[in-house]
Amino acid sequence: MTSKSTKKALSGFKNEVATELGVPFSNYNGDLSSKQCGSVGGEMVKRMVEQYENGLQ
């Protein structure tokens, strides 16, 4: 994956997780609380770790 495609994939993943959590992400997120942003980031990390662990089995 190139850097550009990696950024695009992570952005899509972030938006997918945010939508599932009901966090209204946009290009400007200055109106979101740190709790909302943290919940999206935390869920992203959780899912990436799960995918990695599943790949090891």
Side-chain angles (χ1 to χ4, degrees):
M1 244 187 219
T2 65
S3 179
K4 197 175 212 181
S5 63
T6 301
K7 287 180 183 180
K8 188 175 180 179
L10 279 174
S11 180
F13 182 46
K14 174 182 69 177
N15 288 322
E16 176 185 332
V17 170
T19 299
E20 290 176 15
L21 295 176
V23 176
F25 258 68
S26 64
N27 286 334
Y28 173 74
N29 294 305
D31 298 327
L32 296 179
S33 69
S34 56
K35 181 178 180 179
Q36 289 173 305
C37 290
S39 67
V40 173
E43 184 66 21
M44 289 174 67
V45 170
K46 178 183 168 190
R47 291 183 188 188
M48 286 187 273
V49 169
E50 286 173 352
Q51 286 179 341
Y52 176 78
E53 288 175 340
N54 288 337
L56 292 176
Q57 297 174 359

